[in-house]
Amino acid sequence: PPVASPRMVDMVVTSGFRTPGLNARFRMDTTVQIGGRSTYWDPGKQFFMYYQSTERRWAISFHDDDAWRASHGRGEDPLSDAQRGGTRGLACEAQKGGATWHEFVDGEWHRIAPAIQKLSLGSRAPPLEPLPAIPPPLPAPTPSQYAAPSAQQPLDVKSEPPVHAAVGSTAAPRGAAPSAT
């Protein structure tokens, strides 16, 4: 992965978005590359900024870490989608390097002019925790593992001794809750 140089943008500070989570200090993470470039992450790793190479623009999307991990990075969550070249997001540049962005709010896209500061501070985001290895598939059960027992294989069923209660007895049967009288 590329290493931050003194001139490389390693932090992007955004403000002016309607969605509060998009107004943040996004730090570069060189371990997650999308569109051939490093990604940028808010401090809580809930939002990420990535390059949409097919559209030649930057975008910001929500990160669902649980869904990403559950799918091993192959699901429909926003990060997996972006890693496959998808263009879903909450905001994106209207034109590469331009001051106008599009933001998705209340079910529709709005043109906005957020303040975007690109800084070179020599600071990077901690990397995302790597995905766990995909466990190997379980072997198919053999017929003896799922077949019903035969008459030659008696079931080993343990039963409790019967509970006897005399009619008119106030003793509760074993295991039952006492009445509230």
Side-chain angles (χ1 to χ4, degrees), residues 43-127:
K45 299 272 187 184
Q46 294 180 326
F47 297 93
F48 65 101
M49 182 179 286
Y50 70 103
Y51 188 68
Q52 296 177 340
S53 58
T54 57
E55 303 297 320
R56 300 201 313 223
R57 66 182 180 199
W58 286 92
I60 303 173
S61 190
F62 173 74
H63 174 57
D64 183 344
D65 196 63
D66 292 337
W68 181 66
R69 291 184 183 290
S71 73
H72 295 281
R74 295 188 222 146
E76 293 303 314
D77 61 283
L79 179 57
S80 295
D81 180 69
Q83 289 175 315
R84 288 191 303 271
T87 57
R88 287 192 291 172
L90 298 173
C92 62
E93 289 178 308
Q95 181 180 2
K96 172 73 174 133
T100 305
W101 281 59
H102 298 287
E103 181 180 7
F104 194 73
V105 179
D106 296 328
E108 56 187 46
W109 289 99
H110 299 271
R111 289 176 80 75
I112 60 162
I116 308 287
Q117 293 178 300
K118 299 174 183 177
L119 307 173
S120 297
L121 305 175
S123 166
R124 282 189 244 150

